[in-house]
Amino acid sequence: MNMKEKVFAAFTSLIITGTFSSCSFDASKLKIWDKSDNQNNNKVENAVVEDSDISYQWDTVSIDGGGYVSGIVCNKTEKGLMYARTEKSGAFRYDSENKEWICMTDFLSADESGLMSVESIATDNHEPNRVYMACGSLESGENGVIFRSEDYGSSWERFELSFPCGGDAAGRGSGERLAIDPNDNRTIYYGSRSAGLWKSSDYGKTWSVVPSFNTTGNFAQDSADIGIMWIAFDEQSGTDGSPTLNIYAGVADVDGNTIYKSENAGITWDSIDTELAGYYPVQAEFSENG
């Protein structure tokens, strides 16, 4: 094995077995193992790269795969702006200029790996720089977090929830549980699995439960509550700068009470009789003409 082969072998081994942030690397201190070291009981004290002028720049490595891509969300006003959420590998933003997906959750530590399960993403059509995501794993047994960003996901602020999210659980492929009011983008709703409907009126900085939404659904799959699966706004029922009046929510309920409607901007809610007991709507979206 020549010098170049030895350096490449060590580089490959380190990439496979560890995670690195950007750093400067001094190859003169790199210890190399090869077959001849077996004669020394695998001792490698004397196996070093002799050229002290070699240095390398280390960075994170793109790893393709790692669970389902459970949803893709497109911004309606900024061309090419898309986000993807996954059940185990975090959230990604599409870089249309370089035609690649950029991970937005590399900031999470190993101790918070459960937050790599992304349950929902919302992109703001009025201010496309704003993006939100609800994260958490039922398997981890820890409470979820709602993250907010004002720079396309380059940096984040967080709101700690008092209940778990289920980005890795049954129902992860349903519609978006996070939804931004299209007429008043200060207002955001989040449909939880077991703790009801939540609302923010300050761009996701603070959240509180909506007391008038008095159901969480009663259907579970694989021991996971499905809960409130999506929120949809009838944009034509509001005016720019004021809350949308007509809002709909889909709930997993075996009794047929699966779609709820508010006609007063979320103050009160009533179920719509679908006459479809045993079924529930997984996704919903308003057409542009309502």
Side-chain angles (χ1 to χ4, degrees), residues 96-129:
S96 57
E97 182 176 350
N98 295 308
K99 294 181 172 55
E100 63 180 5
W101 290 91
I102 299 172
C103 185
M104 302 186 298
T105 44
D106 279 345
F107 66 93
L108 293 170
S109 67
D111 293 336
E112 294 185 310
S113 59
L115 298 180
M116 295 289 282
S117 296
V118 183
E119 188 170 56
S120 186
I121 291 180
T123 175
D124 192 328
N125 294 321
H126 281 272
E127 298 177 82
N129 56 296

Side-chain angles (χ1 to χ4, degrees), residues 119 134-138 142-145 161 163-168 190 193:
E119 188 170 56
C135 302
S137 164
L138 289 184
E142 299 174 351
N143 290 334
V145 174
L161 297 171
F163 51 85
C165 298
D168 58 349
Y190 169 63
R193 288 176 174 265

Side-chain angles (χ1 to χ4, degrees), residues 30-104:
L30 178 64
K31 297 183 182 297
I32 306 296
W33 174 90
D34 62 24
K35 291 181 180 179
S36 63
D37 293 317
N38 287 334
Q39 301 173 1
N40 299 317
N41 296 321
N42 293 330
K43 293 181 180 180
V44 295
E45 285 84 352
N46 297 321
V48 298
V49 175
E50 296 177 357
D51 189 348
S52 61
D53 295 329
I54 300 175
S55 62
Y56 298 91
Q57 184 71 26
W58 295 79
D59 208 338
T60 54
V61 178
S62 175
I63 300 175
D64 299 323
Y68 295 110
V69 176
S70 49
I72 295 178
V73 179
C74 301
N75 191 278
K76 295 181 179 179
T77 55
E78 183 168 321
K79 183 178 180 180
L81 180 58
M82 296 185 291
Y83 296 93
R85 55 182 170 93
T86 71
E87 65 160 0
K88 293 290 187 183
S89 301
F92 297 80
R93 175 177 57 82
Y94 185 64
D95 181 348
S96 57
E97 182 176 350
N98 295 308
K99 294 181 172 55
E100 63 180 5
W101 290 91
I102 299 172
C103 185
M104 302 186 298

Side-chain angles (χ1 to χ4, degrees), residues 87-272:
E87 65 160 0
K88 293 290 187 183
S89 301
F92 297 80
R93 175 177 57 82
Y94 185 64
D95 181 348
S96 57
E97 182 176 350
N98 295 308
K99 294 181 172 55
E100 63 180 5
W101 290 91
I102 299 172
C103 185
M104 302 186 298
T105 44
D106 279 345
F107 66 93
L108 293 170
S109 67
D111 293 336
E112 294 185 310
S113 59
L115 298 180
M116 295 289 282
S117 296
V118 183
E119 188 170 56
S120 186
I121 291 180
T123 175
D124 192 328
N125 294 321
H126 281 272
E127 298 177 82
N129 56 296
R130 295 184 182 273
V131 59
Y132 307 85
M133 60 182 181
C135 302
S137 164
L138 289 184
E139 289 183 0
S140 72
E142 299 174 351
N143 290 334
V145 174
I146 293 180
F147 291 96
R148 61 184 295 272
S149 173
E150 297 179 356
D151 54 11
Y152 296 94
S154 295
S155 61
W156 298 90
E157 296 178 10
R158 58 195 289 162
F159 180 85
E160 305 285 343
L161 297 171
S162 58
F163 51 85
C165 298
D168 58 349
R172 56 190 174 273
S174 63
E176 295 305 323
R177 299 169 186 266
L178 277 172
I180 303 169
D181 190 321
N183 288 303
D184 179 9
N185 65 330
R186 297 169 299 178
T187 301
I188 312 161
Y189 285 89
Y190 169 63
S192 73
R193 288 176 174 265
S194 59
L197 182 65
W198 287 67
K199 177 182 178 181
S200 172
S201 300
D202 55 7
Y203 298 103
K205 293 179 181 179
T206 59
W207 294 80
S208 59
V209 70
V210 178
S212 60
F213 197 94
N214 56 11
T215 184
T216 59
N218 60 11
F219 178 73
Q221 182 178 341
D222 300 331
S223 301
D225 293 322
I226 305 300
I228 303 168
M229 300 172 291
W230 50 263
I231 313 293
F233 295 89
D234 179 3
E235 186 173 355
Q236 295 186 7
S237 69
T239 57
D240 190 31
S242 299
T244 300
L245 294 178
N246 295 342
I247 314 171
Y248 296 80
V251 182
D253 192 302
V254 299
D255 299 325
N257 297 316
T258 58
I259 299 179
Y260 285 75
K261 180 182 180 180
S262 174
E263 296 180 328
N264 51 19
I267 297 175
T268 60
W269 296 80
D270 295 298
S271 63
I272 298 175

